[in-house]
Amino acid sequence: MTNLTQKLSKRFFGAAMRVVTLALFLVVFGASSTLAQTRGYLVNANDNTVSVIDTATNTVVATIPVGILPRSVAVTPNGAFAYVANAAGSNVSVISAATNTVVATVPVGLFPQGIAITPNGAFAYVINAIGSVSVINTATDTVTATIPGIASPFGIAITPSGDFAYVASSSGNVTVIDTASNTVVATVPIGGFLIGVAVTPNGAFAYVANLTADNIAVISTATNTVVATIPGGDGPWGVAITPNGAFAYVSNLNGQSVSVIDTSTNTVVATVPVGILPRFLAIDPTGTSAYVPNSFNSTVSVINTATNTVVATIGVGDDPYQIAFAVSTQGPANKDQCKNGGWQTFTNPSFKNQGQCIKFVNHMDEHDQ
């Protein structure tokens, strides 16, 4: 127990420009679809590394040195780059997926704790624990805006439309940022110690893990109010939602388990035992597997989402904290986004014509009824 306490304590407290030749550009974007489908990027906080996991074999295929105390990672929608927030370094490492090397380092605010990338891949939003959000332009890898006045931010998610960022804070509030103006437009009071947050693929709801209240708050993004509270789990930490929006997977830090929530009824339908101190989990882009970093065990549990059983355990670095894939879906949030050539802007999934795009929206709407 003493060892566990010491390790818990250690974990909790624990400007180069990118140069890419035309040939490398073609390699990156020619391979990006495959990379996005088969590779997960996992930060190991105490190792100062990122493990690259091939989901086809569930093995680590590369280990990449990054900054000090990496705590969060996000992958661009095309799978070409991974952005890693280094908490103790107050910077972000940019990894090229083509070479598995750091190609840029971006200074941000103090103790960057989380990161999310807009669906169009243009910006990375970095939450800094000392009360701000840094906005990185991914074309230049420079900070182009800083949003102040956000107390103790811990988790962040961006709506599929890219219009809003939802920031969960240990102060008990969820802050809503308008990404067009980079201003705070709403604050949703919940209470407790809020950690992970995820937005449904249709953009209608945000699911927020409340560590101290042992529940999940469901926010309507239309009204920015809490419309449901789901009990269950012991110390909810990370939240991930399947690409079809049907289920939310929640890691329970103290419970050594993952709760599976049916989003149509907002009830827990399964509990899956995993390792000790599960952190920020992610669903692979196919929706067939959930990847759960177990920070105390230095492993990743792989859950088959069809059976809700652990089918593989992957050894990784010390204190695996968060895993990320390319954005699982960039489908339109409404039919208007399909019109006037808008269907051509989506890449995951991509569409052949406007009608196919609208059909996708109709399918999402049917699920939510």
Side-chain angles (χ1 to χ4, degrees):
M1 186 64 184
T2 300
N3 185 40
L4 174 59
T5 303
Q6 290 174 343
K7 203 161 187 178
L8 263 170
S9 176
K10 181 181 179 183
R11 294 176 194 297
F12 192 82
F13 295 105
M17 291 294 291
R18 182 188 309 145
V19 180
V20 183
T21 63
L22 177 60
L24 180 57
F25 180 89
L26 293 174
V27 169
V28 168
F29 288 93
S32 63
S33 176
T34 301
L35 290 172
Q37 292 297 319
T38 63
R39 296 201 175 169
Y41 289 78
L42 170 77
V43 291
N44 302 301
N46 287 343
D47 270 358
N48 302 330
T49 63
V50 168
S51 297
V52 183
I53 296 175
D54 185 334
T55 60
T57 59
N58 282 328
T59 57
V60 174
V61 294
T63 301
I64 307 165
V66 289
I68 304 172
L69 195 63
R71 294 291 285 270
S72 185
V73 58
V75 183
T76 54
N78 59 14
F81 298 97
Y83 283 69
V84 178
N86 303 305
S90 296
N91 57 35
V92 170
S93 298
V94 184
I95 296 171
S96 166
T99 61
N100 282 328
T101 57
V102 173
V103 293
T105 302
V106 186
V108 290
L110 295 175
F111 212 84
Q113 185 86 322
I115 189 168
I117 295 175
T118 54
N120 62 4
F123 297 97
Y125 280 70
V126 184
I127 54 174
N128 306 304
I130 313 300
S132 67
V133 175
S134 300
V135 184
I136 298 174
N137 182 320
T138 59
T140 60
D141 282 332
T142 56
V143 173
T144 55
T146 301
I147 307 165
I150 301 174
S152 307
F154 214 100
I156 183 170
I158 296 175
T159 57
S161 65
D163 293 334
F164 300 98
Y166 280 73
V167 180
S169 299
S170 59
S171 62
N173 295 323
V174 172
T175 303
V176 185
I177 296 171
D178 183 327
T179 58
S181 61
N182 282 327
T183 57
V184 174
V185 293
T187 301
V188 185
I190 295 176
F193 195 114
L194 308 180
I195 304 287
V197 56
V199 179
T200 54
N202 64 357
F205 300 99
Y207 283 68
V208 185
N210 195 327
L211 179 69
T212 53
D214 288 335
N215 61 37
I216 303 296
V218 183
I219 297 172
S220 166
T221 59
T223 61
N224 283 324
T225 57
V226 175
V227 293
T229 301
I230 307 166
D234 185 0
W237 189 274
V239 185
I241 298 174
T242 54
N244 63 4
F247 298 97
Y249 282 69
V250 181
S251 57
N252 299 304
L253 184 72
N254 303 323
Q256 301 175 34
S257 65
V258 170
S259 299
V260 184
I261 296 171
D262 184 329
T263 58
S264 65
T265 60
N266 281 330
T267 56
V268 175
V269 294
T271 301
V272 186
V274 290
I276 301 174
L277 303 184
R279 299 285 189 172
F280 290 103
L281 71 171
I283 310 294
D284 79 316
T286 67
T288 58
S289 301
Y291 285 74
V292 188
N294 306 304
S295 65
F296 188 80
N297 300 109
S298 296
T299 61
V300 172
S301 298
V302 183
I303 298 173
N304 181 312
T305 57
T307 61
N308 284 325
T309 57
V310 173
V311 294
T313 302
I314 308 167
V316 292
D318 188 10
D319 192 13
Y321 208 83
Q322 182 176 28
I323 186 169
F325 298 91
V327 177
S328 57
T329 179
Q330 288 191 77
N334 55 63
K335 296 176 184 178
D336 288 339
Q337 294 180 357
C338 299
K339 299 174 181 178
N340 301 317
W343 60 270
Q344 301 176 68
T345 65
F346 300 104
T347 60
N348 186 15
S350 59
F351 305 104
K352 295 180 179 179
N353 52 51
Q354 178 176 307
Q356 192 179 65
C357 179
I358 291 175
K359 184 177 180 181
F360 175 87
V361 176
N362 289 337
H363 174 74
M364 295 304 299
D365 289 343
E366 288 170 2
H367 169 73
D368 296 319
Q369 290 177 355

